[in-house]
Amino acid sequence: MNKPLVGALFAVLLLGAGTAPAVAATSHDAAAPTAKVAAPQPVKAKAVNFAGTVALSNCSGSVVRTAASLPSDPALVLSNGHCMETGFPGPGEVVFNRSSTRSFTLLNSAGSGVGTLRASKIAYGTMTDTDISLYQLTRTYAQIESIYGIKALELNAAHPVQGTAITVVSGYWKRTYSCNVDGFVYRLKEGEWTWKDSVRYTSACQTIGGTSGSPVIDNATGKVVAVNNTGNEDGQRCTDNNPCEVDESGNVTVRQGINYAQETYGIVPCIGTGSQIDLSRSGCALPKP
């Protein structure tokens, strides 16, 4: 895993400078069919910056919503299951609606901390099949936007696409990593844990400890398509901090220096009215307690 870092470093790290926000654009060259018909205009990608990301005491995260979320709903923060203050959940373990007062430093577009958000509970957390945590906050989306002028990032409801240009945005380090979706892993095994249909980055995204929980943003839409969680550090096979890829036939591949994320589109069907995590909702396939 992109290891959580000790809280003692937190205050110092938040003062460090990050890289400039990544900006990507796409263009489509097409000839006009006739002189009277204008050529299609280039589709401009959204600028990817730090607005809406958060820094945890040991990891990164982001304030997220679905397309159906209301301004009056309590806001949610997305990070990794292995970043929870309760410790790493074991295989098969799900943390659900557990009280929490954890705090998060909200960042603006430049990566500066603008305020502190606080959790009311861990709405959901697991390291089984995926590696996610969702905290419900004491403030609503409307309150956060009114006080800080910052909107939540939207979770993409569709499966990510191979080749997509992405940016991993770490609120902990105030640093971004830009690369592409290299492909998808049937099963990603690390120590005791197994994750399904994980995102593999191209080699340019050299994420490090503290980037765990960072949103993975589609440069073209500005939406969150995954959450950063691990990478093979030493070339070992299926050990802690050295995940391995397992295909449908059981063949194992080790890719030293390659990093991974967990898809987030599967979270969307599980978020119900008032930001409540409802595991019985149609289409929700997250592991149950």
Side-chain angles (χ1 to χ4, degrees):
M1 280 156 275
N2 294 133
K3 299 182 288 297
L5 299 183
V6 294
L9 294 174
F10 183 60
V12 175
L13 294 172
L14 282 182
L15 297 175
T19 60
V23 179
T26 58
S27 62
H28 303 283
D29 297 323
T34 69
K36 295 181 179 181
V37 179
Q41 294 298 308
V43 178
K44 186 176 181 180
K46 295 181 178 296
V48 176
N49 56 47
F50 295 94
T53 64
V54 299
L56 286 67
S57 58
N58 59 347
C59 286
S60 301
S62 56
V63 181
V64 295
R65 64 176 180 86
T66 69
S69 295
L70 299 177
S72 58
D73 290 339
L76 296 173
V77 162
L78 170 68
S79 190
N80 285 148
H82 77 259
C83 292
M84 291 189 294
E85 71 270 29
T86 52
F88 289 15
E93 182 181 356
V94 172
V95 176
F96 190 66
N97 286 338
R98 182 177 299 181
S99 178
S100 173
T101 58
R102 192 165 196 185
S103 61
F104 311 88
T105 300
L106 179 66
L107 305 185
N108 63 15
S109 60
S112 299
V114 295
T116 300
L117 304 176
R118 192 166 297 278
S120 61
K121 66 180 180 180
I122 303 174
Y124 185 88
T126 193
M127 289 177 67
T128 297
D129 295 350
T130 185
D131 184 8
I132 62 168
S133 60
L134 287 165
Y135 287 83
Q136 184 171 303
L137 303 183
T138 58
R139 284 181 173 153
T140 66
Y141 294 112
Q143 287 172 329
I144 292 172
E145 186 171 355
S146 174
I147 297 168
Y148 304 111
I150 293 174
K151 295 182 178 181
L153 301 176
E154 184 178 334
L155 295 170
N156 196 327
H159 191 286
V161 177
Q162 186 174 14
T164 297
I166 54 174
T167 303
V168 182
V169 187
S170 172
Y172 187 95
W173 288 109
K174 295 194 291 187
R175 179 178 177 183
T176 62
Y177 303 79
S178 296
C179 59
N180 295 78
V181 175
D182 188 49
F184 305 97
V185 182
Y186 176 69
R187 296 290 184 267
L188 189 66
K189 293 182 65 68
E190 180 174 343
E192 299 180 277
W193 297 277
T194 300
W195 303 306
K196 297 179 178 179
D197 196 22
S198 302
V199 174
R200 180 178 61 241
Y201 305 143
T202 52
S203 59
C205 280
Q206 290 294 306
T207 51
I208 59 175
T211 63
S212 287
S214 299
V216 180
I217 297 176
D218 181 330
N219 292 353
T221 65
K223 295 181 181 180
V224 178
V225 295
V227 57
N228 180 69
N229 81 308
T230 195
N232 188 293
E233 297 180 3
D234 308 310
Q236 296 179 20
R237 177 185 170 110
C238 314
T239 62
D240 289 351
N241 305 316
N242 292 282
C244 63
E245 301 181 11
V246 184
D247 68 16
E248 294 180 70
S249 300
N251 300 309
V252 175
T253 302
V254 174
R255 302 179 191 268
Q256 184 176 2
I258 294 298
N259 295 282
Y260 303 88
Q262 300 307 307
E263 297 163 355
T264 51
Y265 77 99
I267 297 173
V268 175
C270 306
I271 300 177
T273 304
S275 298
Q276 296 299 309
I277 306 303
D278 183 354
L279 301 178
S280 65
R281 295 187 86 227
S282 176
C284 179
L286 289 177
K288 296 177 174 59

